[in-house]
Amino acid sequence: MSNIQQNKTQKLLELAKCIKDPIYTIENYLVTLDQTQKGFVSFKLFPKQKELVKAYKKEQFNIVMKPRQAGVSTTTAAYIAVMTALADPQSPQRVLILE
């Protein structure tokens, strides 16, 4: 197999992994602004944030009760970004947010 074919295969495998696992995608491809560090940092999810992402992926409808400063809004935005960016063009993702 040529280097070009190997590279293409690796990219397709990585894309498949990203589509299958939004937690992997968020933690490996997204950054977030951290005011304490005065800049962008890798987006590493806490265990409860991972539970939230898994619930979003598993269930069609979700109601989230949360305390302040739990990172739920940022985690939700990251999940939406990943799912809409990687959606099948024939079956695009629709997002409805109610406050």
Side-chain angles (χ1 to χ4, degrees):
M1 190 183 302
S2 73
N3 283 342
I4 294 173
Q5 287 173 320
Q6 283 180 327
N7 194 21
K8 193 174 192 178
T9 301
Q10 288 173 335
K11 286 180 181 180
L12 287 172
L13 289 172
E14 184 66 11
L15 180 59
K17 191 173 187 178
C18 289
I19 290 169
K20 182 179 178 187
D21 187 358
I23 292 172
Y24 172 83
T25 310
I26 291 168
E27 293 193 327
N28 287 281
Y29 289 97
L30 299 184
V31 295
T32 187
L33 183 62
D34 186 334
Q35 295 293 344
T36 61
Q37 295 188 29
K38 307 284 190 223
F40 290 99
V41 297
S42 296
F43 200 136
K44 297 300 177 197
L45 297 168
F46 292 104
K48 289 289 184 186
Q49 292 170 325
K50 289 180 182 181
E51 283 181 36
L52 179 65
V53 171
K54 288 175 186 175
Y56 285 158
K57 186 156 175 66
K58 181 179 177 188
E59 303 296 336
Q60 182 178 2
F61 300 104
N62 289 274
I63 296 174
V64 179
M65 293 181 58
K66 67 175 193 75
R68 289 180 38 80
Q69 303 299 321
V72 172
S73 297
T74 307
T75 302
T76 301
Y79 177 77
I80 291 169
V82 167
M83 297 311 291
T84 55
L86 299 176
D88 179 355
Q90 303 303 316
S91 178
Q93 294 290 317
R94 287 180 273 155
V95 178
L96 174 62
I97 301 172
L98 302 173
E99 288 188 36

